[in-house]
């Protein structure tokens, strides 16, 4: 995969991330008109899809890894499977959340990136969220149905859903992925200087 194609594809995935985050926010704010159980299901579906988009983004960013081309990971869609395989191949494959600071150098300005501590959404938390979404997206088996109450649970844990969405947004707002020992991919989710579009580029690490 050429570097240009890699950057375009990663930017496309991040544009979809923005869309799903915005749709989740709209649903939580009651703008769908759906009853609570459907809103809850919709939101957890978006969170699950967001987990998969992050995992697929990691795969795209490391598309230069030859062993991924023939391995079944190249055809996988499960966030757990993709991240587990990438963990075996490269220790630092997951996006690193950063903070951008503008500093004055003489009469001009430069931007400095600093890694956030703690990270808003570590890989382990993403996998935890991915597993958590499962129970909200399946009606369950007949045994569970017969042992539960006949009425539909109308409660939505708004703070939990909102918190997960915010963690994803914060982690991806300004991110860095180590492509190799000397190169990183940089991504801004909402570039204020470009109509809040996604901005993706590569940069060499300083010597």
């Amino acid at each position: 995969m050429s570097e240009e194609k890699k950057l375009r594809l990663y930017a496309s995935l991040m544009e979809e991330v923005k869309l799903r985050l915005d749709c989740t926010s709209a649903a939580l704010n009651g703008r769908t008109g759906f009853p609570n159980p459907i809103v809850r299901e919709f939101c957890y579906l978006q969170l699950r899809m967001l987990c998969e988009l992050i995992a697929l983004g990691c795969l795209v960013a490391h598309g230069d890894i030859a062993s991924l081309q023939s391995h079944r990971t190249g055809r996988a869609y499960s966030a757990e499977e993709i991240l587990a395989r990438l963990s075996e191949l490269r220790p630092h494959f997951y996006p690193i959340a950063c903070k951008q600071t503008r500093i004055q150098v003489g009469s001009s300005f430069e931007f400095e990136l600093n890694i956030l501590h703690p990270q808003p959404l570590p890989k382990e938390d993403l996998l935890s969220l991915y597993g958590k979404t499962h129970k909200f997206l399946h009606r369950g088996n007949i045994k569970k149905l017969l042992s539960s109450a006949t009425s539909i649970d109308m409660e939505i844990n708004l703070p939990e859903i909102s918190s997960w969405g915010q963690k994803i947004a914060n982690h991806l707002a300004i991110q860095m992925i180590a492509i190799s020992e000397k190169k990183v991919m940089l991504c801004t989710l909402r570039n204020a200087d470009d109509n809040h579009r996604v901005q993706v580029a590569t940069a060499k690490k300083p010597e």
Side-chain angles (χ1 to χ4, degrees):
M1 185 187 302
S2 69
E3 183 169 295
E4 181 181 355
K5 183 176 181 180
K6 185 190 301 183
L7 295 179
R8 286 202 312 267
L9 185 51
Y10 194 85
S12 177
L13 290 173
M14 291 301 107
E15 288 290 356
E16 185 176 342
V17 163
K18 285 166 48 182
L19 177 64
R20 293 187 182 278
L21 285 171
D22 290 345
C23 288
T24 303
S25 179
L28 290 175
N29 289 325
R31 289 160 55 190
T32 63
F34 295 154
N36 283 0
I38 305 303
V39 170
R40 180 180 58 220
E41 180 181 300
F42 173 82
C43 289
Y44 277 104
L45 174 60
Q46 300 315 308
L47 291 175
R48 187 176 182 88
M49 295 290 282
L50 285 162
C51 291
E52 292 178 358
L53 285 169
I54 293 172
L56 287 170
C58 293
L59 197 60
V60 168
H62 296 287
D64 60 314
I65 300 178
S67 59
L68 287 177
Q69 304 302 321
S70 58
H71 190 270
R72 67 189 301 265
T73 301
R75 301 182 295 277
Y77 61 86
S78 163
E80 291 175 321
E81 184 176 352
I82 293 171
L83 296 185
R85 178 58 177 163
L86 284 170
S87 294
E88 297 173 2
L89 296 171
R90 183 168 289 172
H92 305 295
F93 68 89
Y94 190 72
I96 301 169
C98 300
K99 179 181 179 181
Q100 183 173 267
T101 305
R102 191 172 75 160
I103 57 175
Q104 187 166 358
V105 180
S107 58
S108 61
F109 291 92
E110 294 182 357
F111 291 96
E112 181 180 83
L113 282 182
N114 295 290
I115 295 174
L116 290 179
H117 297 287
Q119 291 281 284
L121 188 74
K123 180 186 70 174
E124 294 75 19
D125 287 2
L126 181 139
L127 291 174
S128 174
L129 170 60
Y130 191 68
K132 184 186 292 288
T133 63
H134 179 83
K135 68 177 182 179
F136 297 101
L137 301 178
H138 299 276
R139 197 61 182 90
N141 55 36
I142 191 66
K143 182 179 179 180
K144 181 179 178 181
L145 183 64
L146 292 173
S147 63
S148 63
T150 56
S151 60
I152 298 176
D153 180 9
M154 299 295 289
E155 294 298 319
I156 304 178
N157 192 334
L158 295 177
E160 179 182 66
I161 296 172
S162 179
S163 175
W164 281 116
Q166 193 60 57
K167 287 179 181 179
I168 293 172
N170 291 344
H171 197 93
L172 300 180
I174 299 176
Q175 50 178 292
M176 173 177 65
I177 300 180
I179 304 301
S180 66
E181 292 184 358
K182 297 184 178 181
K183 184 186 289 186
V184 296
M185 177 185 286
L186 302 173
C187 177
T188 301
L189 198 62
R190 302 178 191 268
N191 182 9
D193 296 327
D194 188 23
N195 201 27
H196 297 283
R197 293 186 179 91
V198 171
Q199 181 181 36
V200 185
T202 55
K204 291 184 178 180
K205 294 181 179 179
E207 298 294 337

